Amino acid sequence: MVTIAARFNGPDHSGNGGYVAGMLAAEVGADVVTSTLRIPPPLDVPLSWEHDTHHDGEVVRLLTAGGAVVGEAAPGAFTRDAPAAPTPAEAAAGLAAYQGHDDHPFDRCFTCGTARGAGDGLRLFTGPVGDGRVAASWTPDAAFGAPGDGRLDVPTTWAALDCPGGWAADFTRQTMVLGRMTAQVVRAPRAGEPLVSVGVLHERDGRKFRTDTALHTADGELLGRAEQVWIQVEHDAFR
C-alpha cells in the first residue's frame, strides 16, 4: 500500500502531476519512463500497485481501493531533443518575470506554488524569456535532500521537471493539468546545488499542449529532461 501525502499536491485536493508520475516511474525503474495520469491523484488515501510484464517491458499501475487506475507507467522514449540550458541572464530574467506571483491557478502547488514556504514547496518559479520559453535559476532546499548524499529522490525530481512545461504553455491563459510525462533523470540533483530550469512550448492541439522541460546545473550539465502533454480543464473542477 502507498499514499500520496497531502503536501505533494498540485491543485489543492489532488496530487502534483510530476510527483505522482515520478512515483510511477520509480516503480518501473527504466532509464526513460512514460507516465500517464488517468484521474486526479487522490491525497492521503490508501492506494496500491499493480505490476504487469509485457513483451516490451513492465507496466505499473497505481490503483484506488475501488480499483480505479490513478495512473500507469512503462518504459518510454523521447521524440524531440532536450531543451538547451538557459543562459545565466535568461535564468535571472525568467525568475524575475514569474507570472505566478500575480496570477496562479494553484498557488499551493508543491512545485511552483507561491503560497508554499522554503522547505515546504520547491518554489521553482520559471518566467517567460521569449520564443515560447520559460526559465529560472533554482536551488533545491536542504529539506528535500536524502540523508547522507543530499540527493533529491525520483518523484521530487520529476516534480521539478513538471511545472515549467505548464508555464511555457502559460497557466495565465488557461488552466491545465498534466496528462502524460516522459522523463529521464540523468543524475539526481543535490540539495543546495545551484541549478537552472527551462520549459518550452512545442505545440498546441485543441485542449492539448505539448511541452519540453529540462534541468541543468549552473555549468550546463543536463540532470533531467521531460516531454509532456498538458490538458486544458475547467478551473472550478479542481478547486
Side-chain angles (χ1 to χ4, degrees), residues 6-43:
R7 68 175 298 209
F8 300 118
N9 67 291
D12 280 349
H13 304 295
S14 60
N16 176 278
Y19 188 90
V20 178
M23 290 176 62
L24 285 154
E27 288 291 307
V28 174
D31 186 40
V32 180
V33 177
T34 296
S35 294
T36 304
L37 301 178
R38 299 299 185 188
I39 62 174
L43 301 171

Side-chain angles (χ1 to χ4, degrees), residues 100-101 104 106-109 112-118 120-121 123 125:
H101 290 298
H104 201 310
F106 308 123
D107 66 358
R108 289 199 52 77
C109 172
C112 65
T114 53
R116 303 293 288 266
D120 177 33
R123 295 180 60 82
F125 299 151

Side-chain angles (χ1 to χ4, degrees), residues 31-220:
D31 186 40
V32 180
V33 177
T34 296
S35 294
T36 304
L37 301 178
R38 299 299 185 188
I39 62 174
L43 301 171
D44 276 347
V45 298
L47 305 170
S48 61
W49 296 113
E50 178 181 84
H51 294 253
D52 284 341
T53 301
H54 296 273
H55 67 279
D56 55 352
E58 185 177 36
V59 177
V60 175
R61 298 181 184 89
L62 186 60
L63 308 177
T64 68
V69 178
V70 176
E72 59 189 7
F78 294 114
T79 61
R80 300 181 290 273
D81 293 335
T87 66
E90 286 176 325
L95 179 62
Y98 180 54
Q99 295 168 288
H101 290 298
D102 299 316
D103 186 1
H104 201 310
F106 308 123
D107 66 358
R108 289 199 52 77
C109 172
F110 173 65
T111 301
C112 65
T114 53
R116 303 293 288 266
D120 177 33
L122 297 182
R123 295 180 60 82
L124 175 49
F125 299 151
T126 50
V129 293
D131 298 325
R133 298 166 65 242
V134 295
S137 55
W138 176 62
T139 301
D141 191 272
F144 302 112
D149 64 6
R151 295 186 184 276
L152 276 60
D153 63 14
V154 172
T156 303
T157 305
W158 274 56
L161 288 167
D162 175 19
C163 295
W167 287 105
D170 198 349
F171 279 127
T172 67
R173 292 180 178 271
Q174 58 273 313
T175 301
M176 298 164 288
V177 294
L178 185 70
R180 178 173 294 165
M181 182 167 170
T182 297
Q184 175 188 28
V185 178
V186 179
R187 194 263 284 170
R190 288 187 291 268
E193 182 175 23
L195 307 175
V196 290
S197 171
V198 61
V200 181
L201 175 62
H202 177 66
E203 65 178 2
R204 177 176 185 174
D205 179 12
R207 293 173 52 244
K208 294 182 179 180
F209 298 78
R210 293 178 176 85
T211 59
D212 303 325
T213 68
L215 194 63
H216 296 80
T217 66
D219 295 330

